[in-house]
Amino acid sequence: MTDTNFDLSRRSFLDRVLMAAAGAGMTAAAPWAAIAAGTAAATSDRVRIGVIGTGDRGRTLIQNINKTRNCMVAAICDNYEPHLTKARPYVGANTPVYADHRAMLEKGGLDALVIATPLNLHAKHVLDGFDAGLHVWCEKAMARTIPDCSAMVKRSQDSRKILQIGHQRMFHPTYLNALRRAKAGEIGSLTQIRASWHRNNSWRRPVPAGVSDRQINWRLYRDSSAGLMTELATHQLQVGNWFFDAVPTRVMGSGSICFWKDGREVYDHVALIYEYAGGRKLIYTSLLNNARYGCEEQIQGSKGTIEPELGRIFQEVPPKVLALQRMQKDVARGKKRAVPIGGATWFPELPVTTPGESLGWGEYDETMLQFEGFGEAVRANRALPGLLAQAYAASVASLLGEQAMDRGEALTWPTSLVTI
Amino acid sequence: MAVPIPTDVERFMAMGTRIELHRFGAAGADDALLAARRAIEAVDDALTIHRPSATTALNERLLAGETAPVDDPVLFDALVAIDAVHEATFGLFDPAADRRFAVAGWRGIIFDRAAARLCATTPVAFDFGGFGKGFALDRAGAVLRAAGIVSACLSAGESSIAVIGEHPLGGGWPFAVPHPSDPDDSLVQVELIDQSLSISATVGAGTAAPDRAAMLRPDDRAVITAPRCAVAVARTGALAEAMSTALLVADPERADRLIDQDRANRFLFDLPCATARASSARMALQ
């Protein structure tokens, strides 16, 4: 892609974000979007970022930072040399490389950290970053425990440093457009969201010589991850909270190691119900041995349904007026007219298969836009509004769901959370 | 001021669709509609192949190559009716045609009415789709007439209709078959008195429903996938139903022959095409 093409693609992407963010009610629902899309100008004074964790996700983040106009990778750090080796081609030849994040922090020369380490290390790395006077961008989920999530928020507030969590759907034009249309009442009153993330693989990575399974497959072990809940569900719980414009009041669920009995400690099947005020519900399932229904959020209202991963909005099909019912009314009124029949044989309550309408597709750079927004926030020392509250609620929801499954109890939303 | 005409309706689910029985006027026994419902449910119970029934038991015997007794009176009457409509449709309606068995069909079955038993020269199984609803409406209509009903309209999924007597306001019962791609337009309008109507189509809602059997031409096993709609009016629901099915699967030559026998009551539309309305009962819609 040439620079000109890239600029056009970038402009088109940002225009779509701005268009979606300009809808009625969107300023309150997604205040970060217009700010992130409307500000980043090319500058030589780029925000200098140190990246901790250069595994697959960390390297993806580095590539997205490289696409921004206001951020640059100024240092990278990982305690696993093969990850650093793979990351080096994506950064400048003179970019410092560290095996210990403390050495990177002591060296200085950074404005902010990006953290893409195993979940149980997020809190330590974030707090160390704040202690070093840096702003922090951290991958979701926030932390392994709810108290750690709260501690991260509190330290951000106390240190007056920005904490931003990676929830790229909040910058995705399709999601923003979906929310705009939901806010405009196009699918009526939202009462239920069915969300799922179904895969058919073990989620297990090969373990090279010299490292432990727990280092490579940290997602499968309880001390480092809540598995499906923190690595997948947290994205969709954020979407649920966002569209319901609320946090859950209560969660109940069931989890099991049902298929991959390979020594893992986290569930490979989870099914939960999150209740919201007014009787609304988010029904969530995730599993690792059937991919038929994939990843989707079905946002259901009285007038229609939105499926943002599919990128489509569906209107409810109005009930058919029964022809003979009309005939009977005609007779009662002394009227005789042709009865339209035979449109279709009636089948009971089959799924509606209307094609719906596109919410808009394209090549999106929502992860890049997250970083441009972060860079802008760092420059202004003012967080993008609304983002952290969304991320905090999503992480708490995922961890509360884990607890509900572990205990086999319905758990109410915690009252001890930090106010944002 | 006109005196309101008493009306009564019975709605229920049977034969995989919505059944409606509308009675008009005060004549007839109070429980006539309920009795008619029971008649339709009895047909459903006897002819279904979606749960254990007299038909599934019969099919098991025939598939095993055994002679099969027909003990169920409803099934027996259905087979008698099928014998008649099979001939009337030049064999194009054939409830024993089966894609699995190349030579299977009604002609390979020996129906010994006196002994109430069937045997077949090859493995064979019945599927009474394309017949059952019309047959069921015939049985319900007979119950209503016997109960003294003089004006009624019976519907099975709005694709199979039977009327008793005249419309409550006098004259025939007017029905219109909507154009599948233009609900404001109709393919054909008919008026019925003591008649039945059946619509068969390869397009439209419901044609993609689970378990819906393919439309099969019995003699060459051709699966009819071209968009088509057939409409047939007849004295009985069984014949109307079989005739619309036969028209739908018919090759051009036999379609023309069937239509020529009764041009006022048999229609075949090749879709989607058509704004043109040919005078012929067989229409290619542009």
Side-chain angles (χ1 to χ4, degrees):
Chain A
M1 180 182 275
T2 66
D3 288 348
T4 305
N5 284 342
F6 178 76
D7 282 346
L8 286 173
S9 166
R10 172 194 163 80
R11 191 65 257 163
S12 165
F13 164 70
L14 295 177
D15 284 348
R16 285 195 293 269
V17 173
L18 287 168
M19 207 180 306
M26 289 297 285
T27 306
W32 58 84
I35 298 171
T39 51
T43 176
S44 57
D45 181 25
R46 290 175 180 250
V47 172
R48 298 166 300 172
I49 292 175
V51 177
I52 305 177
T54 58
D56 289 344
R57 185 61 185 161
R59 293 195 297 278
T60 299
L61 298 178
I62 289 170
Q63 291 174 70
N64 277 279
I65 294 167
N66 290 344
K67 285 195 274 184
T68 67
R69 295 185 161 195
N70 59 356
C71 299
M72 62 175 288
V73 177
I76 58 175
C77 173
D78 202 300
N79 61 4
Y80 183 51
E81 176 56 31
H83 283 169
L84 286 172
T85 302
K86 289 181 181 174
R88 280 192 180 94
Y90 299 111
V91 298
N94 297 322
T95 303
V97 175
Y98 299 91
D100 186 327
H101 77 284
R102 289 166 300 187
M104 184 171 79
L105 297 178
E106 284 167 12
K107 181 69 176 174
L110 299 175
D111 302 307
L113 288 183
V114 162
I115 294 166
T117 53
L119 180 65
N120 60 317
L121 301 177
H122 284 184
K124 174 174 175 47
H125 289 150
V126 167
L127 298 182
D128 285 353
F130 287 143
D131 288 347
L134 301 178
H135 303 282
V136 179
W137 186 102
C138 180
E139 258 300 336
K140 66 83 210 145
M142 288 180 70
R144 182 64 189 89
T145 67
I146 293 174
D148 275 353
C149 296
S150 299
M152 290 161 62
V153 174
K154 186 74 169 49
R155 189 71 68 86
S156 165
Q157 292 174 334
D158 292 346
S159 64
R160 297 181 182 279
K161 294 295 178 186
I162 291 155
L163 174 60
Q164 187 171 320
I165 307 298
H167 280 284
Q168 64 266 26
R169 283 168 176 75
M170 289 192 279
F171 294 86
H172 196 302
T174 300
Y175 276 85
L176 290 164
N177 205 23
L179 186 67
R180 177 183 68 79
R181 297 184 69 163
K183 291 282 177 196
E186 288 191 39
I187 60 169
S189 177
L190 274 56
T191 55
Q192 177 169 288
I193 296 173
R194 292 197 309 191
S196 60
W197 204 322
H198 295 184
R199 291 175 167 176
N200 195 344
N201 62 57
S202 70
W203 220 21
R204 182 177 281 286
R205 296 175 175 179
V207 181
V211 286
S212 71
D213 181 46
R214 284 180 180 266
Q215 277 177 278
I216 299 299
N217 288 304
W218 56 270
R219 291 174 188 80
L220 305 182
Y221 296 99
R222 286 270 182 154
D223 57 0
S224 47
S225 176
L228 297 171
M229 294 308 297
T230 45
E231 309 313 319
L232 300 182
T234 182
H235 278 304
Q236 297 173 291
L237 296 172
Q238 182 273 318
V239 171
N241 293 344
W242 195 22
F243 276 76
F244 278 151
D245 194 17
V247 295
T249 55
R250 201 165 74 127
V251 56
M252 59 199 83
S254 170
S256 59
I257 301 173
C258 191
F259 186 81
W260 296 103
K261 301 175 192 294
D262 57 1
R264 71 187 57 204
E265 296 171 354
V266 300
Y267 301 134
D268 63 2
H269 275 61
V270 300
L272 305 105
I273 299 173
Y274 289 84
E275 295 178 346
Y276 292 74
R280 298 171 297 170
K281 294 173 192 68
L282 185 153
I283 301 166
Y284 188 79
T285 62
S286 186
L287 50 84
L288 291 175
N289 68 315
N290 182 302
R292 162 121 169 95
Y293 295 102
C295 172
E296 186 56 277
E297 299 96 38
Q298 299 166 329
I299 299 159
Q300 299 172 301
S302 52
K303 295 180 184 172
T305 301
I306 287 174
E307 296 183 8
E309 288 291 325
L310 194 62
R312 300 197 81 78
I313 180 169
F314 305 87
Q315 299 304 319
E316 286 288 284
V317 176
K320 188 183 169 201
V321 177
L322 298 175
L324 299 190
Q325 210 166 23
R326 196 189 80 172
M327 175 195 70
Q328 200 173 53
K329 287 179 181 169
D330 282 352
V331 170
R333 290 198 300 262
K335 185 177 175 184
K336 182 177 170 183
R337 57 175 165 165
V339 182
I341 53 154
T345 296
W346 179 82
F347 282 86
E349 306 284 342
L350 291 175
V352 174
T353 54
T354 50
E357 178 194 344
S358 173
L359 288 164
W361 278 109
E363 290 182 14
Y364 295 149
D365 282 314
E366 63 275 9
T367 303
M368 178 278 292
L369 185 58
Q370 283 190 98
F371 285 117
E372 289 206 339
F374 179 62
E376 209 56 36
V378 169
R379 277 180 178 170
N381 196 23
R382 190 169 55 247
L384 295 179
L387 278 184
L388 184 57
Q390 287 281 337
Y392 186 32
S395 287
V396 170
S398 69
L399 293 164
L400 193 66
E402 181 198 29
Q403 292 176 22
M405 291 187 292
D406 287 348
R407 295 189 203 172
E409 296 173 3
L411 298 182
T412 55
W413 190 250
T415 55
S416 58
L417 299 180
V418 179
T419 303
I420 298 177
Chain B
M1 186 174 172
V3 178
I5 298 169
T7 61
D8 197 4
V9 63
E10 179 83 15
R11 290 193 187 92
F12 58 100
M13 170 125 179
M15 313 196 79
T17 193
R18 177 196 299 270
I19 309 289
E20 295 185 59
L21 310 176
H22 294 257
R23 173 173 71 170
F24 297 90
D30 289 346
D31 60 355
L33 289 185
L34 186 58
R37 172 179 178 160
R38 296 289 176 251
I40 289 173
E41 290 170 339
V43 173
D44 193 8
D45 289 343
L47 302 192
T48 184
I49 57 169
H50 302 294
R51 60 181 188 276
S53 68
T55 299
T56 58
L58 178 68
N59 284 345
E60 285 172 17
R61 300 288 293 267
L62 293 175
L63 285 170
E66 300 171 4
T67 296
V70 185
D71 300 329
D72 186 286
V74 175
L75 177 57
F76 181 87
D77 288 351
L79 293 169
V80 170
I82 284 166
D83 208 13
V85 296
H86 179 259
E87 284 305 312
T89 59
F90 307 141
L92 286 164
F93 168 72
D94 189 336
D98 194 323
R99 270 195 294 180
R100 295 172 297 175
F101 310 116
V103 294
W106 182 257
R107 289 199 171 98
I109 294 172
I110 299 162
F111 180 22
D112 182 344
R113 297 191 193 192
R117 68 184 174 210
L118 289 178
C119 62
T121 52
T122 59
V124 71
F126 289 109
D127 178 346
F128 293 118
F131 168 81
K133 287 186 292 185
F135 178 70
L137 294 187
D138 286 342
R139 311 246 330 165
V143 168
L144 293 177
R145 285 187 176 92
I149 305 296
V150 296
S151 179
C153 178
L154 290 60
S155 161
E158 291 186 11
S159 61
S160 300
I161 299 282
V163 300
I164 295 175
E166 292 191 354
H167 188 277
L169 299 178
W173 300 74
F175 293 100
V177 179
H179 194 292
S181 59
D182 182 3
D184 296 328
D185 194 8
S186 57
L187 293 174
V188 64
Q189 295 199 23
V190 294
E191 290 216 355
L192 311 182
I193 297 176
D194 277 322
Q195 287 169 304
S196 294
L197 175 152
S198 172
I199 304 165
S200 297
T202 57
V203 293
T207 54
D211 294 334
R212 183 183 160 101
M215 298 305 295
L216 195 67
R217 184 154 55 226
D219 38 16
D220 60 6
R221 266 65 186 168
V223 176
I224 310 303
T225 56
R228 277 184 147 185
C229 179
V231 179
V233 176
R235 279 292 157 201
T236 68
L239 179 57
E241 193 94 5
M243 188 59 67
S244 69
T245 303
L247 287 169
L248 197 71
V249 303
D251 53 87
E253 186 265 328
R254 280 183 290 182
D256 287 342
R257 283 171 58 202
L258 287 172
I259 290 166
D260 284 343
Q261 288 179 342
D262 191 353
R263 300 185 68 81
N265 288 315
R266 296 174 188 173
F267 309 89
L268 178 60
F269 304 90
D270 290 318
L271 306 167
C273 324
T275 50
R277 289 286 187 276
S279 58
S280 165
R282 180 157 190 259
M283 302 176 196
L285 303 180
Q286 301 303 317

